[in-house]
Amino acid sequence: MALIDLQKVSKHYSAQKILTEVDFHVDEGERIVIIGKNGSGKSTLMKIVNGTLDLDGGRRITKNDLEVKMLDQRPEFEDGHTVRQAVEAGLKELNRAKERYNELSLLLSEDFENKILLDEHEQLSRYIEHHKAWNLDDKIERIIQHFDLKKYEEKPIALLSGGEQRRVALASLLLQKPDILLLDEPTNHLDVYMVEFLEELLLKEKFTLVFISHDRYFIDRIATKSIEVDDCTLHEYSGGYSSYLTQKEEYLRTLQKQHDNLLGVLKRENEWFARGVRARLKRNEGRKERLMQLRDAAKTNPAKIRKMSVELQREAKHFNRDKSINRQKMLFEVEDLALTLGSKELLHDFSTRILQKDVIAIVGPNGSGKSTLLKALLGRLDPTKGIIKRGEFKVGYFDQHREMLDDDKNLIETFCPHGGDRVNVRGSDLHVYGYLKNFLFPREFLDKKIGVLSGGEKNRVALALLFTQDVDILILDEPTNDLDIPTINILEEQLTNFAGAVIIVSHDRYFVDKIAKKLFIFKADKTIEESHQLYSEYLELEKELQELDSMEKEATQEKPKEQKREKEKKLKLTFKEKMALEKLPEEIDALEEEIEKMNICLTNPACYEERGITALAGELASLEAEYEEKVEELLTIQEKEEEIENG
């Protein structure tokens, strides 16, 4: 049985349909990404899975005692809690389970055959193992370090920014390891190193996961299944984002073929209808009705196919890495630049030139100084040292606070401040709706005030407005935050077609790989490295170099005596291992017998037809996997026992 099974589920808000009779299920170990445009119903589906939203139709069926937990966009914490207390707040039940487990271990050392205590001990062991909670203190420390929360450990949670609070909430949920973890844009407010840590943790600890994300590399690495929400229905694709694109392209070809077949049928039916009176007889009313339905389908199919084709082409298009810089106009000349914020040094001794066709991504950990460098280039912040020479040019700037927007104006007033309904976009005179529909805004949005729009919608407005400006350089600070993947594809297309220079700050590796021709990489020693590599390639190389450096240190340094004593201290069988040493041989023998019986059944048609060959093969594969796991566990414990005996 699935952990969660949604059957024929429908949901609407007033007259607006969001989901119509959709089926959806989550099996143990699956990592499902929900894909779709903003407003398509992704968050609605997530809340239904979570059980926090009432259904207008259908059923939500769950496994008994299922623990489902969701990362909120605006997490809430207990008053007065510090960061560490907030991280640990959800771990009370696990800590109680560990305390009770330790009590039982002591009791069982004196009363080894007490069946009640043994059963409770085994149950708690499974519970702690499922939540990977044997070394909770170590895990808390590790996750606080990797999410850059150590410096705030004793700080009241209320004093942290929204992004920092989300990292605290995410850390706590990961430590709790519920049966199903629901994450809405988990990589927002994480730098690439935090995202990498999150990816490794989710994979290593085998989380069952349902998530929404615009980070396409994250989706590709994590997702085992992709669910697209479109037009109130769900479309299922196996694998991550690149697999989704391949399968959707195949689906598009199938749709086109079906449409071509439909046109053939429609042609024959039209010829029949045109033949005259017989087609109008009452007994042929049903055939006439089917003809009208065919005509409607023939009209709507091309629009759907064309729309999907445009989206796929937009995503599949790769950028041209033009490295010619001869005779290009100089925009910025930076000499020996140093930047500090308060008492914190961010950058020193940075010199560079930025030319009229440069496309640069500024990357590095959170808090390293990326946005501060942008402000220095824009002249909004004076350097601590060094100079920035600026040429004659016009700048278009997009920041995370959308300062160019006025909440009291509607879309028409925003794009046509001097009246009318036309907008000039890089020399083309367009109707404002014709332009805004490229940014996925329907006509009814034209009269809406900016203040009533969602964060993602405001970002789309700000980006659309940015591309109407007659500028020589675009400077964008985290432009993909709060955007869905279709809008990011539009942004990528606009940036690729822009004739001037582009400077972006972003943690989105896929976006940076697709757009940037040069990287400014903030390093730990407060310098900037310039590179023409793909960002993902640079990160992979950086990781390999760190691993090599670590291996060299281990090879050349002698391990401290304390470390040796710790190893000796650990080198003894735990109570759990002693129990396993007693039980595993019998369990392995029993599994061998069961596997033998199944293999015999698979050679006997009467037997495998009665039990079902597919079901039988599935059971056999499961038993063999369990057998291998138990044999491996027994061998590991026996090797350890032998090592202890040999000193």
Side-chain angles (χ1 to χ4, degrees), residues 478-531:
E478 292 291 359
T480 63
N481 276 2
D482 294 322
L483 295 184
D484 53 21
I485 291 173
T487 310
I488 295 173
N489 291 334
I490 292 166
L491 170 62
E492 289 165 349
E493 185 176 54
Q494 293 283 342
L495 289 174
T496 303
N497 293 331
F498 180 66
V502 177
I503 302 176
I504 54 174
V505 167
S506 181
H507 294 303
D508 188 326
R509 297 158 295 176
Y510 192 103
F511 176 70
V512 171
D513 276 358
K514 205 166 178 185
I515 296 300
K517 298 175 185 177
K518 186 195 289 188
L519 303 176
F520 285 175
I521 305 157
F522 271 77
K523 308 292 286 183
D525 62 358
K526 316 302 181 189
T527 62
I528 286 178
E529 177 185 339
E530 293 190 35
S531 171

Side-chain angles (χ1 to χ4, degrees), residues 331-525:
L331 302 180
F332 296 97
E333 187 164 11
V334 181
E335 294 179 8
D336 298 323
L337 182 68
L339 295 172
T340 58
L341 206 56
S343 59
K344 183 182 179 185
E345 183 189 30
L346 300 174
L347 179 65
H348 62 79
D349 301 326
F350 176 53
S351 299
T352 193
R353 283 184 169 190
I354 297 173
L355 305 176
Q356 70 183 95
K357 288 189 178 179
D358 277 342
V359 182
I360 299 166
I362 303 174
V363 296
N366 279 350
S368 56
K370 301 183 297 296
S371 297
T372 306
L373 176 58
L374 286 190
K375 287 173 184 169
L377 292 174
L378 288 163
R380 299 183 178 196
L381 183 78
D382 292 330
T384 311
K385 181 191 161 198
I387 57 172
I388 301 174
K389 296 177 187 175
R390 297 177 184 85
E392 290 293 320
F393 56 85
K394 289 180 280 187
V395 177
Y397 177 55
F398 173 91
D399 77 329
Q400 298 177 57
H401 307 293
R402 301 178 286 261
E403 61 182 38
M404 64 180 78
L405 301 182
D406 183 343
D407 281 354
D408 294 326
K409 289 183 178 178
N410 63 28
L411 264 68
I412 288 278
E413 293 164 337
T414 299
F415 285 85
C416 308
H418 306 298
D421 57 7
R422 313 290 295 182
V423 61
N424 189 282
V425 183
R426 293 197 285 276
S428 299
D429 183 53
L430 304 173
H431 188 278
V432 67
Y433 168 63
Y435 176 58
L436 285 176
K437 73 179 182 183
N438 292 325
F439 288 84
L440 310 178
F441 283 107
R443 189 181 289 275
E444 57 267 25
F445 269 63
L446 294 182
D447 297 322
K448 281 194 176 185
K449 298 279 187 191
I450 299 294
V452 304
L453 301 180
S454 69
E457 288 163 348
K458 285 182 180 178
N459 266 9
R460 294 205 330 255
V461 173
L463 287 168
L465 191 61
L466 183 70
F467 290 112
T468 66
Q469 297 176 7
D470 180 20
V471 295
D472 302 294
I473 181 169
L474 293 171
I475 296 181
L476 302 96
D477 192 357
E478 292 291 359
T480 63
N481 276 2
D482 294 322
L483 295 184
D484 53 21
I485 291 173
T487 310
I488 295 173
N489 291 334
I490 292 166
L491 170 62
E492 289 165 349
E493 185 176 54
Q494 293 283 342
L495 289 174
T496 303
N497 293 331
F498 180 66
V502 177
I503 302 176
I504 54 174
V505 167
S506 181
H507 294 303
D508 188 326
R509 297 158 295 176
Y510 192 103
F511 176 70
V512 171
D513 276 358
K514 205 166 178 185
I515 296 300
K517 298 175 185 177
K518 186 195 289 188
L519 303 176
F520 285 175
I521 305 157
F522 271 77
K523 308 292 286 183
D525 62 358

Side-chain angles (χ1 to χ4, degrees), residues 537-596:
E537 287 177 0
Y538 168 82
L539 290 169
E540 194 61 41
L541 182 60
E542 181 186 49
K543 189 177 175 184
E544 286 175 14
L545 289 171
Q546 285 172 349
E547 286 172 0
L548 282 170
D549 189 45
S550 177
M551 286 164 67
E552 282 175 12
K553 281 179 184 172
E554 280 181 19
T556 55
Q557 289 178 6
E558 205 175 279
K559 296 196 175 175
K561 288 180 182 177
E562 177 135 356
Q563 209 171 344
K564 189 179 176 186
R565 281 200 301 270
E566 185 66 21
K567 186 182 174 186
E568 286 168 356
K569 184 179 166 187
K570 284 182 181 175
L571 206 59
K572 62 180 182 179
L573 291 185
T574 64
F575 178 78
K576 188 182 174 191
E577 286 170 334
K578 287 176 184 173
M579 292 277 291
L581 206 55
E582 295 283 334
K583 290 162 62 179
L584 280 171
E586 292 178 14
E587 291 174 1
I588 288 167
D589 287 345
L591 282 168
E592 281 178 347
E593 286 180 20
E594 192 60 33
I595 288 167
E596 180 63 25

